[in-house]
Amino acid sequence: MPFIYSFTSPNEAQLQRRRHLLDFYGQFAQLSALALLLLVQIPLLVRAVKSRFRSTLSSNPRKEHPSPVVSRFGKRFVNTEKTDIPRWRRLEWLLDGQIAQGWGTWRLLLTATLWTIWLFILATGHTGHDYLHLTKRFGIIGASQLPLHYLLALKSWSPVCYLTRLSHEELNPYHRALGRILLLFFSLHASFYLNFYVQKGLLLKRIQDQDVILGLLAIASFLILGITALARIREKKYFLFFTIHVLTSICVLPILYFHVSHIRPYILESALIYLLLILQRNISQTRAPNAIITELSVTSNLVSIAIPLTPALRKKSFHPGQHIYLSLPSTSLTAPQEKLRLNPFTIANLPTKDNHIRLVFRALRGTTRILLNVVRESSSGEVTTPLLIEGPYGAAAHFPNLLNFDKVLFVAGGVGATFTVPIYRDLMDRGFEATRARFVWSVPRLEDTQWAREYLGDGCSIHVTRSSRKANRLSPQPPKMQEQWSAGVDEEVLEMQEWSRLVADVDGSASVAAAIDDVSSSAAEYHQPGVSLLHGRPDLSSIVSQVFGPDPDSGQAASAKVAILVCGPAGMGAALRREVGRSVEEGKVEVWWHNEEFGW
């Protein structure tokens, strides 16, 4: 198909009309984003009304308490017959599935594709055959989305979080997707202009003008942001990504402001939002003067941080499963170049109930390794140091009331239990029947569970995947299970997780008998009532069948409404989702699923 746009020579009236259309479509593109956010309120409102209606019909209705830590409710009526789940529920399940490791969900891809198509429609509307009009339209449409892009970066005080009922972590993939869309539109804008200059013989002259120089600097900045935001760079060189991201996001705004005057309203809006982001971060930071750092396990490099609740921390609203960011103040123990490092740590306890914040992590590299080294250099085996805390954050603040589900399944791998243990504790504290909850924890060594054993009970199982003897490796697993659990695992993902340890390669020459004997001897010393101690990776297919099926011991019917919370290796989460998906596709079970992952 021939290119329908051509270079034109518009008169004064046509130039004024072009400018009017450029401003109109830029404003319309920005307002359409607001319209989309308001449109999202319709299904949320319908869902809230239906939930309220169901609670009214319940034999023992309850109301939501703003703090799930302190609320207690009666036991709900357990489903006694299976009902067909609406097709739209099954469609939701499919949309929330991962396309491939690191590619996001189908919902994200669909949303980004539809939004890109919509912006292209706005970019080409009423441009006629005017090549420069189309070129300028790409630029102003891209600029109109900048405020939304910066808004999606807010961790709190975010109207987008409020309107969508999604956390910053859940919105972060959309922030990255919109960044790629912006890069596309700005690249088209720059490419079309450069082509025009080449065709007209103006390139050498125009690249010396201020507006073109600033425009090239801006597109270079967006390219740098896009390249450093790639998953591989974010995960392996997070500090580099973070530093470049922050500095470039600041510098690109004045560059665009002085590039052309027509996009300045959008730049000023973005700058205001960025100032709000800085203010929010400073206000959200709280100083903890007496954080105690100790090493839990020498062989596993497990470290614990206990942070007593100060008056400022007591004012915060904590929800089980949330995380905080830690940084080391200038008076702390490490070298100056380490002061800017920010690490996310899941809160492994119930701070309001326990009167302190407890963090448990495995020291691998970076800041966590520095903290471990500081503890090991101490003669007392522990170090007291001030820390700066930002948060709490996390999707847990928006979770549904788990008491309203027939069954709840928790699956954790290694230190992923720092996410599931506090939610499990809170659920049991609120009177949920232990027979309706299942807690599965897979760890390399039994000693990795010592920090949480006292909170486990009936329905909990610990699966030890490796012998504590250095000469022994984990027992061989079926090839299918090896492939499922190892899929998508990067040994250097996040410092607070232990993918490489939990999904270690199988050594066929390992002594299986010695590994089993080791677990058996540990079981003899393990006296936690109701907790099963097993060797090898959990059989996810069997676990899912047990959770979804009827319970002959208690007489409970098959579950129609199940909540599943996962935190562990990417391969484990993917394997579990495949098993759950088979039941969802049959249309006989409604699943609320949450896989806790830290994506940047």
PDB file of all heavy atoms in Angstrom, residues 517-535:
ATOM      1  N   ASP A 517      17.423 -40.590  55.453  1.00  0.00           N
ATOM      2  CA  ASP A 517      17.758 -40.827  56.851  1.00  0.00           C
ATOM      3  C   ASP A 517      17.938 -39.528  57.602  1.00  0.00           C
ATOM      4  O   ASP A 517      17.541 -39.401  58.765  1.00  0.00           O
ATOM      5  CB  ASP A 517      19.053 -41.648  56.948  1.00  0.00           C
ATOM      6  CG  ASP A 517      18.852 -43.088  56.490  1.00  0.00           C
ATOM      7  OD1 ASP A 517      17.676 -43.520  56.437  1.00  0.00           O
ATOM      8  OD2 ASP A 517      19.851 -43.765  56.181  1.00  0.00           O
ATOM      9  N   ASP A 518      18.524 -38.543  56.928  1.00  0.00           N
ATOM     10  CA  ASP A 518      18.758 -37.240  57.555  1.00  0.00           C
ATOM     11  C   ASP A 518      17.441 -36.582  57.917  1.00  0.00           C
ATOM     12  O   ASP A 518      17.276 -36.041  59.010  1.00  0.00           O
ATOM     13  CB  ASP A 518      19.560 -36.345  56.616  1.00  0.00           C
ATOM     14  CG  ASP A 518      19.904 -35.017  57.252  1.00  0.00           C
ATOM     15  OD1 ASP A 518      20.797 -34.980  58.106  1.00  0.00           O
ATOM     16  OD2 ASP A 518      19.258 -34.014  56.885  1.00  0.00           O
ATOM     17  N   VAL A 519      16.476 -36.634  56.992  1.00  0.00           N
ATOM     18  CA  VAL A 519      15.169 -36.047  57.263  1.00  0.00           C
ATOM     19  C   VAL A 519      14.445 -36.828  58.343  1.00  0.00           C
ATOM     20  O   VAL A 519      13.759 -36.268  59.201  1.00  0.00           O
ATOM     21  CB  VAL A 519      14.333 -35.999  55.966  1.00  0.00           C
ATOM     22  CG1 VAL A 519      12.916 -35.520  56.269  1.00  0.00           C
ATOM     23  CG2 VAL A 519      14.971 -35.069  54.961  1.00  0.00           C
ATOM     24  N   SER A 520      14.608 -38.166  58.331  1.00  0.00           N
ATOM     25  CA  SER A 520      13.949 -38.996  59.341  1.00  0.00           C
ATOM     26  C   SER A 520      14.471 -38.672  60.728  1.00  0.00           C
ATOM     27  O   SER A 520      13.707 -38.582  61.697  1.00  0.00           O
ATOM     28  CB  SER A 520      14.174 -40.470  59.016  1.00  0.00           C
ATOM     29  OG  SER A 520      13.626 -40.798  57.759  1.00  0.00           O
ATOM     30  N   SER A 521      15.796 -38.500  60.842  1.00  0.00           N
ATOM     31  CA  SER A 521      16.367 -38.157  62.146  1.00  0.00           C
ATOM     32  C   SER A 521      15.925 -36.776  62.589  1.00  0.00           C
ATOM     33  O   SER A 521      15.703 -36.537  63.779  1.00  0.00           O
ATOM     34  CB  SER A 521      17.886 -38.231  62.085  1.00  0.00           C
ATOM     35  OG  SER A 521      18.401 -37.300  61.138  1.00  0.00           O
ATOM     36  N   SER A 522      15.770 -35.847  61.620  1.00  0.00           N
ATOM     37  CA  SER A 522      15.279 -34.507  61.959  1.00  0.00           C
ATOM     38  C   SER A 522      13.841 -34.581  62.431  1.00  0.00           C
ATOM     39  O   SER A 522      13.431 -33.859  63.342  1.00  0.00           O
ATOM     40  CB  SER A 522      15.389 -33.582  60.743  1.00  0.00           C
ATOM     41  OG  SER A 522      16.729 -33.444  60.350  1.00  0.00           O
ATOM     42  N   ALA A 523      13.059 -35.459  61.799  1.00  0.00           N
ATOM     43  CA  ALA A 523      11.654 -35.589  62.178  1.00  0.00           C
ATOM     44  C   ALA A 523      11.523 -36.093  63.608  1.00  0.00           C
ATOM     45  O   ALA A 523      10.590 -35.723  64.337  1.00  0.00           O
ATOM     46  CB  ALA A 523      10.941 -36.535  61.212  1.00  0.00           C
ATOM     47  N   ALA A 524      12.466 -36.954  64.018  1.00  0.00           N
ATOM     48  CA  ALA A 524      12.413 -37.475  65.373  1.00  0.00           C
ATOM     49  C   ALA A 524      12.621 -36.372  66.408  1.00  0.00           C
ATOM     50  O   ALA A 524      12.118 -36.452  67.531  1.00  0.00           O
ATOM     51  CB  ALA A 524      13.472 -38.560  65.543  1.00  0.00           C
ATOM     52  N   GLU A 525      13.386 -35.336  66.003  1.00  0.00           N
ATOM     53  CA  GLU A 525      13.644 -34.223  66.911  1.00  0.00           C
ATOM     54  C   GLU A 525      12.634 -33.094  66.753  1.00  0.00           C
ATOM     55  O   GLU A 525      12.655 -32.137  67.518  1.00  0.00           O
ATOM     56  CB  GLU A 525      15.056 -33.673  66.650  1.00  0.00           C
ATOM     57  CG  GLU A 525      16.154 -34.724  66.795  1.00  0.00           C
ATOM     58  CD  GLU A 525      17.504 -34.192  66.350  1.00  0.00           C
ATOM     59  OE1 GLU A 525      17.549 -33.018  65.934  1.00  0.00           O
ATOM     60  OE2 GLU A 525      18.498 -34.931  66.430  1.00  0.00           O
ATOM     61  N   TYR A 526      11.782 -33.228  65.786  1.00  0.00           N
ATOM     62  CA  TYR A 526      10.847 -32.137  65.469  1.00  0.00           C
ATOM     63  C   TYR A 526       9.510 -32.441  66.140  1.00  0.00           C
ATOM     64  O   TYR A 526       8.820 -33.405  65.771  1.00  0.00           O
ATOM     65  CB  TYR A 526      10.692 -32.039  63.955  1.00  0.00           C
ATOM     66  CG  TYR A 526       9.919 -30.828  63.486  1.00  0.00           C
ATOM     67  CD1 TYR A 526      10.517 -29.580  63.435  1.00  0.00           C
ATOM     68  CD2 TYR A 526       8.591 -30.937  63.103  1.00  0.00           C
ATOM     69  CE1 TYR A 526       9.823 -28.470  63.000  1.00  0.00           C
ATOM     70  CE2 TYR A 526       7.879 -29.831  62.657  1.00  0.00           C
ATOM     71  CZ  TYR A 526       8.501 -28.609  62.611  1.00  0.00           C
ATOM     72  OH  TYR A 526       7.800 -27.516  62.175  1.00  0.00           O
ATOM     73  N   HIS A 527       9.121 -31.655  67.100  1.00  0.00           N
ATOM     74  CA  HIS A 527       7.917 -31.937  67.877  1.00  0.00           C
ATOM     75  C   HIS A 527       6.891 -30.820  67.725  1.00  0.00           C
ATOM     76  O   HIS A 527       6.461 -30.235  68.704  1.00  0.00           O
ATOM     77  CB  HIS A 527       8.270 -32.109  69.358  1.00  0.00           C
ATOM     78  CG  HIS A 527       9.253 -33.207  69.614  1.00  0.00           C
ATOM     79  ND1 HIS A 527       8.956 -34.544  69.455  1.00  0.00           N
ATOM     80  CD2 HIS A 527      10.557 -33.164  70.016  1.00  0.00           C
ATOM     81  CE1 HIS A 527      10.004 -35.279  69.751  1.00  0.00           C
ATOM     82  NE2 HIS A 527      11.005 -34.466  70.090  1.00  0.00           N
ATOM     83  N   GLN A 528       6.513 -30.512  66.509  1.00  0.00           N
ATOM     84  CA  GLN A 528       5.506 -29.489  66.275  1.00  0.00           C
ATOM     85  C   GLN A 528       4.183 -30.195  65.974  1.00  0.00           C
ATOM     86  O   GLN A 528       4.051 -30.836  64.938  1.00  0.00           O
ATOM     87  CB  GLN A 528       5.896 -28.596  65.109  1.00  0.00           C
ATOM     88  CG  GLN A 528       5.017 -27.362  64.948  1.00  0.00           C
ATOM     89  CD  GLN A 528       5.173 -26.392  66.112  1.00  0.00           C
ATOM     90  OE1 GLN A 528       6.188 -26.372  66.786  1.00  0.00           O
ATOM     91  NE2 GLN A 528       4.148 -25.600  66.359  1.00  0.00           N
ATOM     92  N   PRO A 529       3.206 -30.111  66.873  1.00  0.00           N
ATOM     93  CA  PRO A 529       1.945 -30.838  66.687  1.00  0.00           C
ATOM     94  C   PRO A 529       1.245 -30.445  65.381  1.00  0.00           C
ATOM     95  O   PRO A 529       1.133 -29.256  65.055  1.00  0.00           O
ATOM     96  CB  PRO A 529       1.114 -30.401  67.903  1.00  0.00           C
ATOM     97  CG  PRO A 529       2.113 -29.934  68.906  1.00  0.00           C
ATOM     98  CD  PRO A 529       3.241 -29.355  68.117  1.00  0.00           C
ATOM     99  N   GLY A 530       0.786 -31.455  64.648  1.00  0.00           N
ATOM    100  CA  GLY A 530       0.005 -31.216  63.444  1.00  0.00           C
ATOM    101  C   GLY A 530       0.804 -30.942  62.197  1.00  0.00           C
ATOM    102  O   GLY A 530       0.229 -30.873  61.107  1.00  0.00           O
ATOM    103  N   VAL A 531       2.136 -30.775  62.313  1.00  0.00           N
ATOM    104  CA  VAL A 531       2.972 -30.438  61.161  1.00  0.00           C
ATOM    105  C   VAL A 531       3.606 -31.708  60.607  1.00  0.00           C
ATOM    106  O   VAL A 531       4.221 -32.485  61.341  1.00  0.00           O
ATOM    107  CB  VAL A 531       4.067 -29.424  61.535  1.00  0.00           C
ATOM    108  CG1 VAL A 531       4.931 -29.091  60.325  1.00  0.00           C
ATOM    109  CG2 VAL A 531       3.434 -28.157  62.101  1.00  0.00           C
ATOM    110  N   SER A 532       3.464 -31.936  59.319  1.00  0.00           N
ATOM    111  CA  SER A 532       4.056 -33.090  58.655  1.00  0.00           C
ATOM    112  C   SER A 532       5.426 -32.714  58.102  1.00  0.00           C
ATOM    113  O   SER A 532       5.574 -31.658  57.484  1.00  0.00           O
ATOM    114  CB  SER A 532       3.161 -33.573  57.508  1.00  0.00           C
ATOM    115  OG  SER A 532       1.873 -33.901  57.978  1.00  0.00           O
ATOM    116  N   LEU A 533       6.408 -33.598  58.333  1.00  0.00           N
ATOM    117  CA  LEU A 533       7.751 -33.364  57.823  1.00  0.00           C
ATOM    118  C   LEU A 533       8.040 -34.420  56.759  1.00  0.00           C
ATOM    119  O   LEU A 533       8.053 -35.623  57.043  1.00  0.00           O
ATOM    120  CB  LEU A 533       8.780 -33.456  58.947  1.00  0.00           C
ATOM    121  CG  LEU A 533      10.233 -33.185  58.567  1.00  0.00           C
ATOM    122  CD1 LEU A 533      10.390 -31.794  57.984  1.00  0.00           C
ATOM    123  CD2 LEU A 533      11.137 -33.355  59.789  1.00  0.00           C
ATOM    124  N   LEU A 534       8.255 -33.976  55.504  1.00  0.00           N
ATOM    125  CA  LEU A 534       8.403 -34.879  54.374  1.00  0.00           C
ATOM    126  C   LEU A 534       9.694 -34.580  53.629  1.00  0.00           C
ATOM    127  O   LEU A 534      10.240 -33.476  53.716  1.00  0.00           O
ATOM    128  CB  LEU A 534       7.207 -34.756  53.428  1.00  0.00           C
ATOM    129  CG  LEU A 534       5.818 -34.945  54.064  1.00  0.00           C
ATOM    130  CD1 LEU A 534       4.731 -34.551  53.089  1.00  0.00           C
ATOM    131  CD2 LEU A 534       5.633 -36.375  54.525  1.00  0.00           C
ATOM    132  N   HIS A 535      10.154 -35.585  52.860  1.00  0.00           N
ATOM    133  CA  HIS A 535      11.367 -35.410  52.069  1.00  0.00           C
ATOM    134  C   HIS A 535      11.003 -35.261  50.597  1.00  0.00           C
ATOM    135  O   HIS A 535      10.142 -35.975  50.080  1.00  0.00           O
ATOM    136  CB  HIS A 535      12.303 -36.605  52.245  1.00  0.00           C
ATOM    137  CG  HIS A 535      13.489 -36.555  51.324  1.00  0.00           C
ATOM    138  ND1 HIS A 535      14.498 -35.632  51.476  1.00  0.00           N
ATOM    139  CD2 HIS A 535      13.802 -37.286  50.235  1.00  0.00           C
ATOM    140  CE1 HIS A 535      15.400 -35.810  50.524  1.00  0.00           C
ATOM    141  NE2 HIS A 535      14.997 -36.813  49.749  1.00  0.00           N
TER     142      HIS A 535
END
